[in-house]
Amino acid sequence: MAMIGILGGMGPLATVDFMDRVVRLTDASCDQEHLPMVVAHLPHTPDRSRSILAGDELPLPHLLAGIDLLNRNQVGLVVIPCNSSHHWYPQLRERSSAPILHIASTCVAALPHGTRRVAVLATRGALASRIYQDALAERDIQPVVPDEAEQVQVDTCIRSVKAGALEAAGEALQAVLASLAARNIGVAIMGCTEIPVALRQLRSAPLTMIDSTLELARATVAFAMERGWNKAQ
Amino acid sequence: MAMIGILGGMGPLATVDFMDRVVRLTDASCDQEHLPMVVAHLPHTPDRSRSILAGDELPLPHLLAGIDLLNRNQVGLVVIPCNSSHHWYPQLRERSSAPILHIASTCVAALPHGTRRVAVLATRGALASRIYQDALAERDIQPVVPDEAEQVQVDTCIRSVKAGALEAAGEALQAVLASLAARNIGVAIMGCTEIPVALRQLRSAPLTMIDSTLELARATVAFAMERGWNKAQ
């Protein structure tokens, strides 16, 4: 029986949020029509953003151990609900027998038709890694990186979710979005899986928000349903 | 590194809810202070309640396969956020190298001091299995099993959560609670992990609700924190 492999725990609430989306997006009327998964929830993995900025590879052995765990347990697909980890996507793809969906590709594919420029809300590491800038350039869409004052708020938002301080996370996100809207930016990618958790604190957003957790979950469910993994063998 | 092993997917939303509680109950200021887990999310496991009532063992090979998967991956504890599965607790405990917390024991231990009688909201299978009745008898607490009209609503509540129909689940639960309160019952055990998901649809409950998902999550976090599993090795 093929299962979905989730390399998670980065961060913990983001992984729970991702699993919640997968379950809710699955068209099922009883347990047995849902999709089987194996989750390697590894929060001890060193900080991905810090290592990208420092130019070290500290998270890589942890990420590879997670890939190995999932492959040892017969997963037919690997997904990683952590954007910054995709800095090491080439090495993880090389190691994994099962294919790995790329979170930035699924997210950029979901941008509204005709989008010309889009803000990228992500860790400083993911921005330095150019995961989103490169995926957007392939489609001739201009990435807008937050200015320093905005990025400080993005950092606060992400850190607060990881610490369970959702109210503080929501306030920081609201400040970023107001600033981006004042600069006439109409679309933002939530390119860090903590940010959608913070967004739920807000009543509404002043721009169109593209959610990397949701888009990865949609692609995951589509991949698994096409292959009939919802059907008990 | 020791990890928490979760035998889940029964049902899928209940497992996500359980993981969410574990993460939120963990005192952590960053990813690396959270608890590592392996999750075997196996929704294809045949209906536990139906098999208990029919007297067959169809779910057992699936449950044992999940126990084996978790133990192969070096978990130091197994928890099963599905009450009905505990019908096979003796066989699972026998097979598992890692200890398994018993959901009914953790739940009964959380009853308010001086509780004399308590309603047990659970699947018909879990009621037939007497998981809760036996745990309550040990403490001289009288179990109150719903009458047929109430149990029909309990069944609807559980089935609706598994199908993602949360509004219908909440309505059914509200009807059960109103009926129990009218019978002067003051405390109810939510002895099926779907029921707390439905409870979130209600503004308030007319009796004290003991939540098996929450109590298992509390016991899980306590077990893991005592052993320092939140600290990266």
Side-chain angles (χ1 to χ4, degrees):
Chain A
M1 184 187 62
M3 297 191 281
I4 296 166
I6 300 177
L7 179 51
M10 304 171 284
L13 273 186
T15 293
V16 171
D17 185 34
F18 176 74
M19 291 176 68
D20 187 65
R21 314 289 190 107
V22 169
V23 172
R24 288 177 199 266
L25 286 168
T26 304
D27 183 22
S29 64
C30 63
D31 286 359
Q32 290 73 24
E33 293 172 12
H34 277 277
L35 295 165
M37 314 184 209
V38 180
V39 188
H41 186 89
L42 307 176
H44 293 168
T45 306
D47 188 294
R48 283 69 61 198
S49 179
R50 192 178 299 161
S51 284
I52 296 168
L53 296 173
D56 69 52
E57 304 284 324
L58 291 176
L60 187 55
H62 295 254
L63 296 172
L64 290 172
I67 293 291
D68 289 347
L69 188 158
L70 296 173
N71 279 282
R72 264 201 317 274
N73 292 289
Q74 283 85 45
V75 302
L77 173 71
V78 169
V79 288
I80 312 169
C82 167
N83 284 272
S84 304
S85 295
H86 287 72
H87 177 69
W88 292 278
Y89 181 82
Q91 293 95 314
L92 304 182
R93 187 182 49 182
E94 173 73 24
R95 179 78 149 245
S96 181
S97 306
I100 309 180
L101 293 180
H102 194 300
I103 195 169
S105 307
T106 62
C107 201
V108 168
L111 284 168
H113 190 72
T115 301
R116 289 282 192 75
R117 59 183 200 144
V118 59
V120 180
L121 306 182
T123 64
R124 288 176 194 261
L127 292 174
S129 180
R130 301 190 59 80
I131 302 164
Y132 277 95
Q133 292 94 318
D134 291 346
L136 290 166
E138 276 183 29
R139 296 189 174 229
D140 282 328
I141 300 170
Q142 186 198 336
V144 178
V145 169
D147 63 26
E148 180 58 27
E150 290 164 349
Q151 187 62 38
V152 167
Q153 298 279 17
V154 173
D155 298 344
T156 300
C157 169
I158 295 169
R159 200 177 48 239
S160 299
V161 171
K162 287 178 185 293
L166 298 185
E167 205 170 317
E171 285 167 16
L173 180 59
Q174 190 153 39
V176 177
L177 300 185
S179 175
L180 291 170
R183 290 163 64 191
N184 284 321
I185 297 164
V187 185
I189 287 175
M190 296 186 280
C192 171
T193 52
E194 266 69 36
I195 300 175
V197 179
L199 182 69
R200 238 164 282 145
Q201 298 290 311
L202 311 187
R203 284 203 191 169
S204 64
L207 58 176
T208 301
M209 305 295 286
I210 304 297
D211 179 338
S212 59
T213 308
L214 173 63
E215 299 310 333
L216 185 64
R218 281 180 171 153
T220 301
V221 171
F223 187 102
M225 295 296 266
E226 273 167 23
R227 287 160 181 79
W229 295 356
N230 56 325
K231 297 189 180 73
Q233 301 297 301
Chain B
M1 185 186 61
M3 298 192 280
I4 297 165
I6 301 177
L7 179 52
M10 304 170 283
L13 274 185
T15 293
V16 171
D17 185 33
F18 176 75
M19 291 176 68
D20 188 65
R21 313 290 189 105
V22 169
V23 172
R24 288 176 198 267
L25 287 168
T26 305
D27 183 23
S29 64
C30 62
D31 285 0
Q32 291 73 26
E33 294 171 12
H34 277 277
L35 296 165
M37 315 182 209
V38 180
V39 188
H41 186 89
L42 308 176
H44 293 169
T45 306
D47 188 292
R48 282 71 60 199
S49 180
R50 192 177 302 161
S51 284
I52 296 168
L53 296 173
D56 69 54
E57 304 284 323
L58 292 176
L60 187 56
H62 295 254
L63 297 171
L64 291 172
I67 292 291
D68 290 347
L69 188 158
L70 296 173
N71 279 283
R72 265 202 314 274
N73 292 289
Q74 282 85 48
V75 302
L77 174 70
V78 169
V79 288
I80 313 170
C82 167
N83 285 274
S84 305
S85 295
H86 287 71
H87 177 71
W88 292 277
Y89 181 81
Q91 295 95 314
L92 304 182
R93 189 181 51 184
E94 174 74 25
R95 179 77 151 247
S96 181
S97 307
I100 309 179
L101 293 180
H102 194 300
I103 194 167
S105 307
T106 63
C107 201
V108 169
L111 283 169
H113 189 71
T115 302
R116 290 280 192 76
R117 58 182 201 146
V118 58
V120 180
L121 307 182
T123 63
R124 289 177 193 261
L127 292 174
S129 181
R130 302 192 56 82
I131 302 164
Y132 276 95
Q133 292 94 317
D134 291 346
L136 289 167
E138 275 183 31
R139 298 189 172 230
D140 282 329
I141 300 169
Q142 187 199 335
V144 178
V145 168
D147 63 26
E148 180 58 27
E150 289 164 348
Q151 187 61 38
V152 167
Q153 297 281 16
V154 173
D155 298 345
T156 301
C157 169
I158 295 169
R159 199 176 49 238
S160 299
V161 171
K162 288 179 186 292
L166 298 185
E167 205 170 318
E171 284 167 15
L173 180 59
Q174 191 151 40
V176 177
L177 300 185
S179 174
L180 292 170
R183 289 164 63 192
N184 285 321
I185 297 164
V187 186
I189 288 176
M190 295 186 279
C192 171
T193 52
E194 266 69 37
I195 299 175
V197 178
L199 182 68
R200 237 163 282 144
Q201 298 290 311
L202 310 188
R203 285 202 190 169
S204 64
L207 59 174
T208 301
M209 304 294 285
I210 305 296
D211 178 339
S212 60
T213 307
L214 172 63
E215 299 310 332
L216 185 65
R218 281 182 172 150
T220 301
V221 171
F223 187 102
M225 296 296 267
E226 273 167 22
R227 288 159 180 79
W229 296 356
N230 56 325
K231 297 189 179 72
Q233 303 296 302

